Amino acid sequence: MSAFIYFQPVEMSANNLRNLFEMPILFFALIPLLLLTETASNIQTMIAWAYVVLRAAHSIEHIGPNVTKRRFLVYLLSSIVLTAMWIGFVVDLVLK
């Protein structure tokens, strides 16, 4: 039996924490931009909350049951939501 089996739960949490500093950085950059440019609409707010819920679901899936197909689907949905937020921001900024 390998010693790596004992470290697997810690490694999963560490991988999840590392993952939280990849795509969400774009989210964390967008929120102040929405506020500073006064383009934070109700739609952007709803989409932002959808992104937060999807990222939380991804973390729960990643640390919990870790079913790869389900985790990827949640990740893909969160990526699409974040992309929609950025597109909406750019469109609102151009039309403003």
Side-chain angles (χ1 to χ4, degrees):
M1 187 158 26
S2 173
F4 292 112
I5 293 173
Y6 297 108
F7 295 109
Q8 189 174 9
V10 174
E11 186 177 325
M12 285 177 61
S13 296
N15 288 341
N16 184 56
L17 183 62
R18 186 184 74 241
N19 187 268
L20 290 175
F21 287 102
E22 293 170 354
M23 286 285 287
I25 293 297
L26 295 172
F27 177 78
F28 297 141
L30 179 59
I31 297 303
L33 289 172
L34 287 168
L35 296 172
L36 289 172
T37 60
E38 297 178 353
T39 56
S41 65
N42 288 337
I43 293 172
Q44 282 285 30
T45 304
M46 288 188 302
I47 295 172
W49 276 111
Y51 181 76
V52 169
V53 168
L54 286 167
R55 291 306 299 173
H58 181 267
S59 290
I60 291 167
E61 181 65 38
H62 196 184
I63 294 173
N66 200 19
V67 177
T68 306
K69 287 183 181 181
R70 190 168 51 208
R71 191 179 89 211
F72 175 72
L73 179 62
V74 174
Y75 177 80
L76 181 63
L77 288 173
S78 70
S79 298
I80 291 169
V81 167
L82 183 59
T83 302
M85 283 185 70
W86 273 98
I87 290 171
F89 169 67
V90 170
V91 168
D92 289 344
L93 201 59
V94 168
L95 295 178
K96 187 173 179 182

